[in-house]
Amino acid sequence: QPASSNKPRKKKKKRKTKKNSAGETVEDNDLEDIDSLLERIEDPGLAPQSQSGIIADSRPLLYVEHRNLNPENELKRYFGARAVLGDQRPRQRQRQYVRSMWLTAPKNTWPRYSKTGITMQLLDTRRGVQHFTFEHHREYQQVQFKFLDAVESMDPNNIVLLLQMNPYHVDSLLQLSDVCRMQEDQEMARDLIERALYSLECAFHPVFSLTSGTCRLDYRRPENRAFFLALFKHLMFLEKRGCPRTALEFCKLILSLDPENDPLCVLLLIDFLSLRAREYTFLTRLFQEWESHRNLSQLPNFAFSVPLAYFFLSQQEELPELERSQARERAAQLIQLALIMFPSVLMPLLDHCSVQPDTRVTSHPFFGLNAQISQSPALNQLTSLYVGRTHTLWKDPAVMAWLEPHVHEVLRMVDAQDALVQEAEHKRKIRYQSAPRNIYRHIILSEMKEATAALPLEVTSQPVMGFDPLPPLDSIVSYTRPERTSHPSNESTLSLFFRSLLPNFNLQGDIRHDGDDEAGAAQDLNQGVNRLMAAMRDMLANIQFQEPPRDDNPEGDGDWD
């Protein structure tokens, strides 16, 4: 009652109160309002995350907000709803009803969706954590086998043909998206990834939750990998599109699916997205809660990004002076530890930022070329990845002015032979002997040329498929691809044609023994077809092509060969 009475007066503020949102949803039947209402019903009384140095958020660390999964919401904040939506709203009311999804917005240009043969099953529940897995039904397995044949043919047109018959086959969409991206068709590449996410979300289990952070998928199962990869590729497109806040939410979603193993190693990316989205509090909270059991400070990206986040917090004038002072002290402490632990980051970082350091820094061996040459290849991959990805965040003159005195302070500690310097050098020699497989997988998917160039030969020498890069060595296989019968390679085109019509046909007269009772019939059939082929050879050999009629043009091209 109150909602309907207030509706005309507060129509423009329907997002601010639950009652008005409910009233608007019933009246307008707007999908966006329905999504907004469900968010409020699901998360009552939760305050938004505060931009302060003190953790004031009571929600789980990897909690995912539905509204932050929609890039349109972020673009509206930047450019306004009118610029983003344009004239979409009048047409939305006239279009056919399409199932509302959280991960993507279905498009009218997509093929009509029908059951693909993918389902999700709940395996078990342990300690309040639910473990799910995708499953492929028999008809989807057959399409998967055809897809593997198309990949082996090295012809993208075969994948296109397969998608025409099965428009929501996930691995085909992932692989063809890579092909489109290589051909600079970014729009189509992004559209294919969104269609893959839509196909997988339609198969979700009723109790599978994107937001709770308690639902797990095992990457060792091949059926689950497509979901991880589609989410990762989607967030990369979002980041390039200028939606870092939405990309961060997808990054948190990937991490929540398997936080212990982190198969795509999104921990190497989440700090960059947090800084791009100005979610400094989330990054510092992640570092505080996970440092004790995950040693995040031993990753170069966290070692440098966390003090940078504290520095940005110290620059926010709306914060109390005490919090800003604490953030400033924490930033100074952590950046010095980062420079001591990873000295090889400084010079490439300054080079990317087009900053020329003073002679004391360039001439000192601690930050010199030896720091990069002496480190292990695994550590070189991590530092190259970080510098190549985040150097734009360090170009701010204020950041460089903050960094300079700490560099000189570290050089003073090095000259004084501080114990911290020697301890860090000892850690670098013991650790980082070889990178785990998930880091290689992350570098391949990120396509950062600085880090890709540092990959070892055993990774670069093997073929890497976009639908399953570097599969785990301990995969849990639920079904296997049947072995295909090998045919003689010296068969003629005519022989292959007859074999496609008559599977038992063999030009050499060998018989495929499917059974002793069928041997005689198969031999008679082969002899008959052999005689037919011999007659066709004679006919083709005796064919003579008539010369084309000549015209009277003396300046013609002459006789035909």
Side-chain angles (χ1 to χ4, degrees):
Q1 296 275 340
S4 60
S5 62
N6 289 339
K7 179 192 166 198
R9 187 164 50 91
K10 296 186 178 180
K11 185 172 183 179
K12 293 184 179 179
K13 298 182 180 180
K14 60 185 178 182
R15 288 186 173 273
K16 294 188 177 181
T17 60
K18 299 176 185 177
K19 292 183 179 180
N20 287 346
S21 292
E24 291 292 325
T25 303
V26 173
E27 295 293 332
D28 291 344
N29 195 22
D30 193 334
L31 295 179
E32 188 177 353
D33 292 337
I34 293 175
D35 297 347
S36 177
L37 174 63
L38 291 177
E39 288 176 28
R40 289 179 170 83
I41 294 175
E42 183 179 358
D43 310 312
L46 291 178
Q49 184 171 345
S50 62
Q51 290 283 350
S52 66
I54 300 176
I55 299 172
D57 197 344
S58 60
R59 294 174 296 187
L61 179 66
L62 298 180
Y63 173 82
V64 175
E65 292 185 82
H66 277 143
R67 61 187 175 90
N68 287 332
L69 292 174
N70 187 355
E72 283 192 358
N73 293 333
E74 184 172 6
L75 293 173
K76 287 177 193 175
R77 289 196 295 269
Y78 296 151
F79 307 107
R82 185 179 299 276
V84 175
L85 295 177
D87 58 347
Q88 291 182 18
R89 287 189 175 275
R91 287 186 292 179
Q92 280 183 351
R93 294 194 178 100
Q94 298 173 5
R95 71 179 183 183
Q96 291 183 354
Y97 173 74
V98 182
R99 180 179 176 184
S100 179
M101 313 300 285
W102 293 120
L103 298 178
T104 58
K107 300 178 181 178
N108 295 328
T109 57
W110 289 357
R112 184 178 181 85
Y113 179 81
S114 59
K115 295 286 185 180
T116 60
I118 301 181
T119 58
M120 180 184 279
Q121 299 296 329
L122 174 62
L123 296 178
D124 58 6
T125 303
R126 299 191 299 268
R127 300 177 182 176
V129 177
Q130 298 170 313
H131 296 262
F132 294 86
T133 183
F134 285 99
E135 289 186 350
H136 294 172
H137 291 178
R138 182 175 297 275
E139 60 270 18
Y140 193 90
Q141 294 178 18
Q142 299 301 320
V143 180
Q144 187 73 9
F145 299 150
K146 294 178 181 178
F147 164 73
L148 296 176
D149 292 340
V151 171
E152 290 179 356
S153 71
M154 305 296 289
D155 186 359
N157 293 320
N158 292 332
I159 302 179
V160 175
L161 293 175
L162 183 64
L163 274 176
Q164 290 177 352
M165 301 297 296
N166 308 274
Y168 288 95
H169 181 255
V170 179
D171 283 349
S172 296
L173 293 168
L174 296 179
Q175 190 71 23
L176 190 59
S177 174
D178 286 348
V179 174
C180 293
R181 189 167 43 80
M182 293 176 185
Q183 296 177 351
E184 303 298 331
D185 191 351
Q186 302 293 333
E187 188 69 26
M188 177 59 70
R190 188 173 72 230
D191 187 79
L192 293 171
I193 293 296
E194 292 178 0
R195 202 199 301 180
L197 283 175
Y198 176 75
S199 176
L200 290 168
E201 189 173 359
C202 288
F204 279 179
H205 193 276
V207 299
F208 182 81
S209 172
L210 295 171
T211 61
S212 65
T214 59
C215 296
R216 302 286 185 265
L217 287 175
D218 193 343
Y219 193 81
R220 293 176 300 170
R221 297 181 180 270
E223 297 89 342
N224 295 338
R225 292 173 199 164
F227 189 51
F228 283 88
L229 295 170
L231 289 173
F232 189 91
K233 293 173 185 287
H234 185 56
L235 78 85
M236 296 299 288
F237 280 120
L238 289 170
E239 193 275 326
K240 294 177 181 177
R241 191 181 172 188
C243 300
R245 183 65 185 87
T246 310
L248 174 62
E249 211 68 14
F250 275 92
C251 192
K252 289 161 59 178
L253 174 58
I254 297 174
L255 189 57
S256 70
L257 295 176
D258 193 353
E260 295 300 323
N261 300 309
D262 191 12
L264 301 186
C265 209
V266 293
L267 281 177
L268 297 178
L269 174 65
I270 198 168
D271 63 299
F272 168 67
L273 295 176
S274 300
L275 293 173
R276 281 282 319 272
R278 300 182 180 180
E279 292 290 325
Y280 310 128
T281 305
F282 168 76
L283 180 57
T284 55
R285 181 188 174 191
L286 175 64
F287 183 75
Q288 292 172 18
E289 295 188 12
W290 284 29
E291 168 63 14
S292 60
H293 66 283
R294 298 294 289 269
N295 292 324
L296 297 182
S297 60
Q298 301 308 303
L299 294 173
N301 59 308
F302 273 94
F304 281 87
S305 291
V306 172
L308 186 60
Y310 275 114
F311 168 74
F312 286 133
L313 283 173
S314 69
Q315 301 298 303
Q316 294 186 352
E317 297 180 355
E318 64 271 14
L319 294 181
E321 180 58 34
L322 178 60
E323 293 184 13
R324 294 172 59 187
S325 176
Q326 292 175 349
R328 198 177 299 113
E329 293 176 3
R330 187 72 171 142
Q333 177 188 7
L334 291 177
I335 192 60
Q336 292 178 16
L337 291 176
L339 290 169
I340 292 173
M341 187 65 199
F342 305 106
S344 62
V345 172
L346 179 64
M347 298 307 291
L349 185 62
L350 295 178
D351 184 55
H352 277 73
C353 296
S354 303
V355 174
Q356 180 63 36
D358 56 28
T359 54
R360 185 191 175 196
V361 177
T362 55
S363 60
H364 202 287
F366 186 72
F367 290 121
L369 189 60
N370 185 56
Q372 302 173 45
I373 297 177
S374 61
Q375 69 182 1
S376 65
L379 182 56
N380 187 35
Q381 293 155 15
L382 294 176
T383 56
S384 300
L385 182 69
Y386 178 73
V387 172
R389 174 175 281 155
T390 61
H391 66 271
T392 54
L393 301 173
W394 292 82
K395 285 187 175 182
D396 189 349
V399 173
M400 283 297 164
W402 161 74
L403 178 64
E404 184 178 5
H406 298 301
V407 172
H408 289 288
E409 176 63 21
V410 168
L411 289 180
R412 187 195 63 77
M413 297 172 65
V414 172
D415 294 337
Q417 297 183 350
D418 194 288
L420 281 175
V421 180
Q422 298 177 3
E423 181 184 354
E425 184 179 359
H426 180 66
K427 288 180 179 179
R428 285 197 302 273
K429 290 181 180 180
I430 295 178
R431 301 172 180 175
Y432 315 108
Q433 296 299 319
S434 62
R437 199 170 178 85
N438 61 338
I439 290 182
Y440 293 150
R441 198 177 293 125
H442 177 90
I443 293 175
I444 291 173
L445 290 172
S446 299
E447 296 182 348
M448 297 295 301
K449 59 181 181 180
E450 294 88 352
T452 306
L455 286 174
L457 184 61
E458 61 265 20
V459 175
T460 57
S461 60
Q462 57 180 299
V464 177
M465 297 299 177
F467 68 94
D468 191 9
L470 296 183
L473 301 177
D474 55 346
S475 297
I476 302 176
V477 180
S478 58
Y479 66 94
T480 56
R481 182 183 179 188
E483 295 184 3
R484 293 179 299 172
T485 307
S486 59
H487 302 316
S489 59
N490 57 350
E491 290 184 272
S492 64
T493 304
L494 196 59
S495 178
L496 291 174
F497 168 71
F498 277 104
R499 186 184 297 284
S500 67
L501 298 177
L502 307 168
N504 289 324
F505 169 71
N506 192 344
L507 179 62
Q508 285 76 17
D510 298 333
I511 303 170
R512 299 183 187 181
H513 295 282
D514 295 329
D516 294 337
D517 297 338
E518 300 176 1
Q523 188 171 7
D524 293 340
L525 180 62
N526 283 341
Q527 290 176 355
V529 176
N530 282 333
R531 288 194 295 269
L532 175 61
M533 288 193 63
M536 292 186 67
R537 284 197 196 96
D538 294 338
M539 180 183 68
L540 292 174
N542 294 326
I543 291 178
Q544 295 182 356
F545 295 97
Q546 184 179 3
E547 291 186 359
R550 300 182 182 180
D551 55 13
D552 298 331
N553 184 10
E555 297 180 359
D557 295 332
D559 296 337
W560 288 61
D561 294 332

